Amino acid sequence: MQYRRLGQTDLQISAVGLGGWALGGGTDWGPCEEQSARETVAAALDAGITLIDTAPIYGQSEVFIGRALQGRRQQAVLAGKCGLVKNGSWTDHDLRPQTIIRQLEESLTRLRTDYLDLYQIHYPDPNIPLEVALETLARLQKQGKIRYIGVCNVGEKELRQAAAVCQIASVQNEFSLLHPQKGLSVLPACRELGIGFMGYGTLCGGILSGKYRKEPNLRRADARNYFYKCYRGEAFLRANQTAARVKTLAERKHTCASAVAGAWALSQAGVTGVLTGARTPEQVRQNAQAAQATLDAAEIHFVENEK
């Protein structure tokens, strides 16, 4: 495993992190047994993965991760989020100060810890000025409940706005071979401002691991159906062409497709780390191989471009 400094903080994070969304089960990803989740977290730590990212909106993820980290909390760089709340079958934005404070306290309880290494605004709230939310996080930071502040799913304008309010440790945006723009749009500003960048969705829900030979029959509520937008029609065909190139290169390099997809993201200037989801120890071990896989310019060109 490789370790990289996150922005201008003293945090050293693993180049490959464990994204906790799929571990939460529920309607987004289907049932996940707690024992499987705990074994997956243990396998991640054993593979040298220290960065573990979760959120209260991720079903049982925080509960499972909190239990899995008992006795191993100091091995993890634990990242949480605030600002999304369930409202029946809907998900709403809510970055009111009282909601941020409540969500943090509840997350700390579920995660069985008294602090988070990184606390992130999950999405900007159109009804709450970004400055107001960040000022709340800064107060929580002074109280010692969070060590560093991050933002997710932002553009360059919002990032610069946030950096003018307080020290921003990192940005977390979707970033993959299939959806590179959300990362590439902020990476120059991250480099300029000394802010770390973590890409999520590196495998786009698993499609870049090469697991889908045909269009899957997904439930409407499945995250791969409504979030990643590459599992239907022409989008699926294009995605599978990219996945095929990734798999071909992986075979040439005697590694797995997940490693190549992750290595592509890690090769981009300004990327500190990537978050990959996993629901089994084998998946997390495969994802971890991205830290050892290196791609030269010709290999990067091959996976990025159709023949």
Side-chain angles (χ1 to χ4, degrees), residues 44-100:
L45 295 174
D46 292 343
I49 291 174
T50 58
L51 175 62
I52 300 177
D53 178 271
T54 186
I57 203 74
Y58 294 165
Q60 291 296 302
S61 177
E62 290 182 325
V63 173
F64 292 166
I65 289 172
R67 292 172 179 168
L69 288 178
Q70 291 303 287
R72 305 187 74 174
R73 170 66 180 90
Q74 296 306 313
Q75 293 178 247
V77 175
L78 192 52
K81 304 187 187 80
C82 63
L84 290 185
V85 296
K86 282 290 187 183
N87 183 8
S89 60
W90 295 93
T91 299
D92 290 337
H93 298 274
D94 189 349
L95 282 175
R96 292 176 298 168
Q98 62 267 35
T99 302
I100 292 174

Side-chain angles (χ1 to χ4, degrees), residues 126-230:
N127 298 312
I128 302 294
L130 191 57
E131 295 90 339
V132 172
L134 290 168
E135 287 166 359
T136 302
L137 294 186
R139 289 195 296 273
L140 294 169
Q141 186 179 38
K142 288 181 179 179
Q143 295 171 16
K145 294 182 179 181
I146 59 177
R147 293 183 63 195
Y148 294 105
I149 297 168
V151 291
C152 308
N153 301 298
V154 296
E156 180 183 353
K157 181 179 178 180
E158 293 164 317
L159 174 57
R160 292 186 182 277
Q161 181 184 356
V165 177
C166 63
Q167 182 189 19
I168 301 298
S170 61
V171 174
Q172 185 187 145
N173 278 9
E174 185 178 357
F175 191 50
S176 72
L177 268 165
L178 297 180
H179 302 129
Q181 189 53 43
K182 292 179 182 179
L184 294 175
S185 64
V186 299
L187 278 173
C190 287
R191 295 194 295 268
E192 175 192 335
L193 299 171
I195 294 172
F197 178 87
M198 299 184 296
Y200 73 81
T202 309
L203 303 178
C204 283
I207 198 167
L208 287 177
S209 70
K211 65 187 293 184
Y212 298 103
R213 295 186 177 181
K214 61 181 181 179
E215 189 175 305
N217 182 23
L218 300 170
R219 293 173 294 105
R220 183 177 180 182
D222 192 293
R224 288 158 292 190
N225 194 30
Y226 74 84
F227 190 83
Y228 285 110
K229 310 293 186 184
C230 56

Side-chain angles (χ1 to χ4, degrees), residues 241-255 257 260 302-303 307:
Q241 289 172 355
T242 301
R245 295 195 301 275
V246 169
K247 184 177 180 181
T248 296
L249 182 57
E251 290 171 349
R252 292 177 188 170
K253 297 177 73 67
H254 306 290
T255 187
V260 169
F302 174 73
V303 295
K307 295 180 180 179

Side-chain angles (χ1 to χ4, degrees), residues 23 32-41 279-281:
L23 291 176
C32 181
E33 296 295 331
E34 179 176 354
Q35 184 61 31
S36 177
R38 294 176 70 167
E39 289 173 357
T40 300
V41 173
R279 287 163 68 94
T280 67

